[in-house]
Amino acid sequence: MAYNRLIFELSSPGRIGFELTQQGFQDGDVSTTLDASLFRDTPADLPEVSELEVVRHYTKVSQKNIGIESGFYPLGSCTMKYNPKINDEMASLDGFRLIHPLQPLSTVQPLLKLYNETATMLNEITGMKGTTLNTFAGAHGELIGLMVMKHYHELRGDYRRTKVIIPDSAHGTNPASAMMLGYETITLPSKDGLVDIDTLLPFLDDTIAGIMLTNPNTMGLFEKDILKISKAVHDVGGLLYYDGANLNPLLGIARPGDMGFDIMHMNLHKTFSTPHGGGGPGSGPVSVAAHLVDYLPSPVVTKVGEDYTLSYPEHACGQVGGFYGNFLVMIRAYSYIRTVAHDLMNVGPNAVLNANYIKESLKNDYKLVIQKPCMHEFVFSGLLDQSTGVKTLDIAKRTLDFGIHAPTIYFPLLVEQSIMIEPTEVESKETLDQFIAIFKQIAHEAKTQPDIVKTAPHSTPVGRLDEVFAARFPTLHFKALQKVEQK
Ligand SMILES: *Cc1c(COP(=O)(O)O)cnc(C)c1O
């Protein structure tokens, strides 16, 4: 297997890229004030390479990566959309970047104002009454949202509610978050990809703390009975939790608060302009209806007269992380909402239009289990003609040969051989047409030359990997890699 040479292998003794000279340091710099015991005894084992080699090396490595900025990235349930650079620029302004969370509040008044304005805009977008930005990820938002739910029931002396209902189409983090809080989860089977009210009713009683829903759900379908569902759950004293990780299909069209949801989270790193993936910083704000505002976590940014201060309300569900969340992610969201505000009404409709365009164009080549209009994403069940044995995994691998990222595959679990496609609102008709042509070609190849598809990819640096071996025995050091090579 050929692999990219590592920066250490390019090293040649004595070669220099850039040298820090002693004269560069001045009295009072860290290097002159550090205790001598903190210095290392032997020089660090750093690669010795020229500046040009460094630049070429990292440029090459970056080009091996498929990202939204190198091509179409139709990964369903992930909202891999382009994030305008202006939002990064705003987040890198020194005034934001160089602040410290322990600075006196009098020196960060405008930033606290920004925090509150962002929360207010999110309230308006979601139809909720209170928002905390203190959470660090979507799953973290779920956990905190459910803590609010638990707090609400328990402060009323209601300890019987030990169960949370979650449809089988839900994102895996939903049951995981509920279980972390000690809830028993009930998996609700879907009917035609939707929650069926008659299936739900028998589960509803005074042991139900709430239900967690995504709407549109991960099948890309709108829960048309949402008002009936919310009434039925509220009638037995339960609360409705909305998983708003991918909020783009709703922007400008509908609000969870108006559907009867009590608690929700959003992923700023999916819908509101922070790149996600690779474990980068995220933010999963939690918004709640009026009767739950007092239970949001502290500290709460509060306006007293003309000043902003931090408060720690009595019934808050505690502090949920260091300080006030990922502040720079919030800045990107603020900047995004303000820059697209005039066009925010088109985000949802365009996301929906793009998904339906692809679905309708490919439904004679790929198996569409649910023949309804979809929202921002939809699911195929492999090829329409599966006679040559080409599987979803093969199709996904073949897309890589065309320089685009594969769709989500084998999720959601309720569809066999699932291929989940989400184009997002940012793509042009030309890009969508190109993708449709590629998927039609793959379907054609699957019929006429199935081996090309079954052995794909052919144009990537490495072909099919042994994913189980790679996960169980990761080779993370280049010397270990060389040993594997020699075998
Ligand atoms: C991405 C996602 C989550 C989890 O968000 P993280 O930030 O990865 O924790 C939860 N629910 C849905 C529907 C998602 O798409």
Side-chain angles (χ1 to χ4, degrees):
M1 195 209 311
Y3 65 94
N4 215 52
R5 291 224 285 158
L6 298 162
I7 191 84
F8 284 95
E9 295 169 277
L10 299 174
S11 178
S12 171
R15 197 162 289 166
I16 286 169
F18 182 77
E19 198 170 22
L20 290 171
T21 55
Q22 274 303 330
Q23 293 91 29
F25 294 108
Q26 310 199 342
D27 277 351
D29 272 346
V30 180
S31 63
T32 58
T33 53
L34 273 184
D35 190 294
S37 68
L38 296 173
F39 290 118
R40 48 164 82 246
D41 301 325
T42 50
D45 182 17
L46 297 174
E48 297 178 77
V49 280
S50 71
E51 181 175 320
L52 179 59
E53 282 167 321
V54 172
V55 171
R56 282 191 183 145
H57 175 74
Y58 286 106
T59 303
K60 244 186 246 167
V61 170
S62 77
Q63 286 165 346
K64 293 210 184 299
N65 204 12
I66 296 189
I68 189 72
E69 287 169 17
S70 53
F72 188 44
Y73 206 134
L75 201 66
S77 189
C78 281
T79 310
M80 298 300 286
K81 70 178 185 185
Y82 177 67
N83 299 301
K85 293 287 167 264
I86 179 81
N87 306 317
D88 278 331
E89 271 174 48
M90 292 302 116
S92 10
L93 292 176
D94 284 353
F96 297 136
R97 200 170 52 84
L98 300 178
I99 51 163
H100 192 282
L102 291 177
Q103 238 168 278
L105 289 186
S106 62
T107 65
V108 290
Q109 287 293 311
L111 307 184
L112 297 178
K113 182 173 180 215
L114 264 185
Y115 182 107
N116 263 18
E117 282 187 12
T118 307
T120 303
M121 292 194 298
L122 293 177
N123 285 342
E124 277 169 30
I125 286 171
T126 56
M128 294 290 184
K129 286 288 182 294
T131 294
T132 180
L133 295 153
N134 296 7
T135 45
F136 292 88
H140 190 213
E142 287 173 28
L143 185 77
I144 305 314
L146 289 170
M147 270 168 66
V148 168
M149 182 185 283
K150 199 165 192 201
H151 225 58
Y152 164 81
H153 290 309
E154 293 184 356
L155 281 174
R156 294 158 74 241
D158 188 349
Y159 290 92
R160 286 160 305 178
R161 300 184 184 271
T162 53
K163 300 176 197 156
V164 171
I165 300 174
I166 302 171
D168 56 5
S169 62
H171 196 269
T173 48
N174 291 187
S177 301
M179 288 186 68
M180 279 186 73
L181 279 174
Y183 280 123
E184 185 186 324
T185 59
I186 297 174
T187 306
L188 190 70
S190 308
K191 194 172 163 193
D192 293 333
L194 293 173
V195 170
D196 175 46
I197 189 92
D198 293 327
T199 314
L200 172 65
L201 286 176
F203 290 109
L204 295 180
D205 58 28
D206 63 5
T207 64
I208 298 301
I211 184 169
M212 295 181 86
L213 293 177
T214 309
N215 194 20
N217 64 26
T218 45
M219 291 290 290
L221 302 172
F222 190 80
E223 298 286 358
K224 60 181 170 35
D225 286 336
I226 185 60
L227 294 178
K228 281 187 209 156
I229 296 169
S230 95
K231 178 166 188 317
V233 174
H234 284 147
D235 280 351
V236 297
L239 297 180
L240 274 86
Y241 185 96
Y242 181 82
D243 178 343
N246 310 280
L247 202 65
N248 49 340
L250 286 195
L251 289 185
I253 305 180
R255 308 191 305 172
D258 301 335
M259 299 176 203
F261 284 96
D262 304 282
I263 310 168
M264 66 174 290
H265 82 271
M266 287 153 270
N267 281 21
L268 297 189
H269 51 289
K270 280 180 186 168
T271 311
F272 295 100
S273 205
T274 283
H276 81 286
S283 176
V286 176
S287 301
V288 295
H291 56 293
L292 300 172
V293 171
D294 291 346
Y295 309 124
L296 285 174
S298 45
V300 176
V301 177
T302 318
K303 194 171 181 195
V304 182
E306 285 309 301
D307 294 333
Y308 291 88
T309 177
L310 299 178
S311 63
Y312 298 80
E314 183 189 352
H315 294 307
C317 69
Q319 180 143 4
V320 298
F323 307 106
Y324 335 107
N326 273 328
F327 186 73
L328 296 180
V329 177
M330 186 208 93
I331 295 294
R332 287 190 186 86
Y334 178 89
S335 166
Y336 173 72
I337 297 170
R338 293 299 295 263
T339 45
V340 300
H342 61 286
D343 209 25
L344 207 59
M345 305 292 280
N346 282 327
V347 169
N350 282 336
V352 171
L353 180 64
N354 283 356
N356 279 285
Y357 181 65
I358 295 182
K359 172 174 72 72
E360 290 303 308
S361 306
L362 288 175
K363 71 177 184 188
N364 295 327
D365 302 278
Y366 294 83
K367 191 165 157 195
L368 189 61
V369 198
I370 294 169
Q371 304 277 344
K372 287 184 226 174
C374 64
M375 294 296 132
H376 61 307
E377 60 193 1
F378 65 92
V379 181
F380 283 131
S381 177
L383 285 160
L384 197 57
D385 174 359
Q386 305 195 349
S387 60
T388 56
V390 170
K391 298 265 189 285
T392 283
L393 178 70
D394 307 321
I395 296 162
K397 293 290 184 197
R398 183 66 176 141
T399 58
L400 305 181
D401 284 332
F402 296 92
I404 53 173
H405 199 280
T408 296
I409 57 172
Y410 300 109
F411 178 82
L413 304 177
L414 57 157
V415 174
E416 239 178 275
Q417 293 291 318
S418 50
I419 306 176
M420 187 186 201
I421 296 172
E422 177 184 3
T424 81
E425 67 276 12
V426 299
E427 301 294 346
S428 67
K429 179 165 179 296
E430 287 77 8
T431 302
L432 303 183
D433 283 335
Q434 214 178 350
F435 174 75
I436 290 163
I438 290 168
F439 255 55
K440 277 186 179 290
Q441 182 179 333
I442 296 175
H444 181 70
E445 288 172 350
K447 223 176 278 178
T448 53
Q449 314 156 269
D451 281 344
I452 288 200
V453 188
K454 287 181 187 175
T455 54
H458 306 286
S459 62
T460 49
V462 291
R464 293 209 184 189
L465 301 173
D466 183 337
E467 286 165 23
V468 176
F469 185 82
R472 297 236 172 109
F473 307 101
T475 309
L476 303 176
H477 192 281
F478 82 100
K479 285 186 179 139
L481 188 63
Q482 284 168 334
K483 270 189 212 144
V484 173
E485 295 277 310
Q486 283 155 14
K487 275 184 196 159

